Amino acid sequence: MKVKKYIPDQSGLANSVGVTLDRFIKKKQDDFTFASGELSQLLRDIALAAKIVNRETNRAGLSRISGSFGHTNIQGEDQQKLDVIANIRFMRALSKGGEVCAIISEEDDEVVEFKNKSGKYVVAIDPLDGSSNIDVNVSIGTIFSIYRRVTPIGSQIRTEDIMQAGNTQVASGYIIYGSSTMLVYTTGRGVNGFTYEPSLGEFFLSHPDMKAPQNGEIYSINEGIYNQFDEGLKSYLQLCKSRKLCARYIGSLVADFHRNLLKGGIYIYPATSSLPNGKLRLLYEANALAFIAEQAGAVASNGTNRILDVMPTSLHQRTPLIIGSKKMVDEVLAINNKFSDQIL
Ligand SMILES: O=P(O)(O)OC[C@H]1O[C@](O)(COP(=O)(O)O)[C@@H](O)[C@@H]1O
């Protein structure tokens, strides 16, 4: 029987669609000799829930799931229907596999513990970030952090399993539901981005080994609350204006962060007189993006400390966030120090 060797097509007629997320996760898992595959399955479960949430957000206007859910969450925010739907979808997907023992969600007042305690991972998640943009067709996202529990598997979840500093994350990432849908994640070995191809129902590697430019031309901050900023920040913003830098603020953290990660820039949500600890949440917003930022060569600070070194003390605690290109964040911190020295 005659056989012939497979020679990859050279005609260029059928463009390669690239590496699927599944295959990429499998390949990366093989890098870890003793990998059990649980983290890989957990990442796949997150990707599956993301596909469903992507479908829901795309057709929200048609399926009457836009608008308020008529309930206020523990942050005092008016929960949107899609906030609740996204929360249900991720909870369901993460409860199925058995890899997860507990979840911290922006939409749940308390830690959600799964019956099956054999899971070794704890997930912190903002199921739908950028709620104020849901109904107006502006990019929104999902943000997730993954930790290994520290107490024995199978035992009762304890505070130390939940209150872990960001520098103990085993993985983190975000999904951006925008002009295209992307999933970007790290397991501490660089950052990779995958674009969703709805017609095939697959995420494909589109942004391998993402690196943030060391400097940038974009600054992202809600200047509507300018009067509540401290003098150090006001002087930095004057500097940005004098340099004719570009002001870009979508009002969806994931979207602003993603743009600045690709193009170079800085996102700032500071402490203000009305929000003395800032607005964003440490456990399921800042930590995840700080891990991604650092893995891509960028920086994340609360103005005083590295975000990843902040020891959490409460589930929904807020933190000021200064995140983005290294040179820009370092400059803000230097100006802050100068002003705080003058005050002292
Ligand atoms: O409207 P503000 O005060 O500028 O806040 C916008 C920020 O708040 C957030 O919407 C907070 O996230 P949630 O939508 O998940 O609550 C960020 O996405 C965004 O960057």
Side-chain angles (χ1 to χ4, degrees), residues 209-247:
D209 199 21
M210 297 167 78
K211 290 285 178 238
Q214 288 296 295
N215 205 347
E217 305 278 317
I218 297 170
Y219 65 102
S220 309
I221 187 166
N222 181 351
E223 292 203 69
I225 49 176
Y226 179 88
N227 297 339
Q228 299 185 41
F229 298 163
D230 64 29
E231 292 316 309
L233 183 52
K234 285 179 178 171
S235 92
Y236 175 71
L237 293 176
Q238 291 317 319
L239 207 53
C240 291
K241 293 176 200 322
S242 64
R243 290 180 186 152
K244 297 192 175 43
L245 297 192
C246 191

Side-chain angles (χ1 to χ4, degrees), residues 35-68:
S36 64
E38 285 165 277
L39 181 60
S40 301
Q41 188 50 50
L42 174 42
L43 290 167
R44 287 193 199 95
D45 295 341
I46 287 175
L48 173 61
K51 293 174 187 175
I52 300 169
V53 171
N54 177 63
R55 183 191 67 196
E56 309 279 20
T57 50
N58 285 351
R59 50 199 286 278
L62 299 174
S63 48
R64 304 204 190 311
I65 52 172
S66 45
S68 170

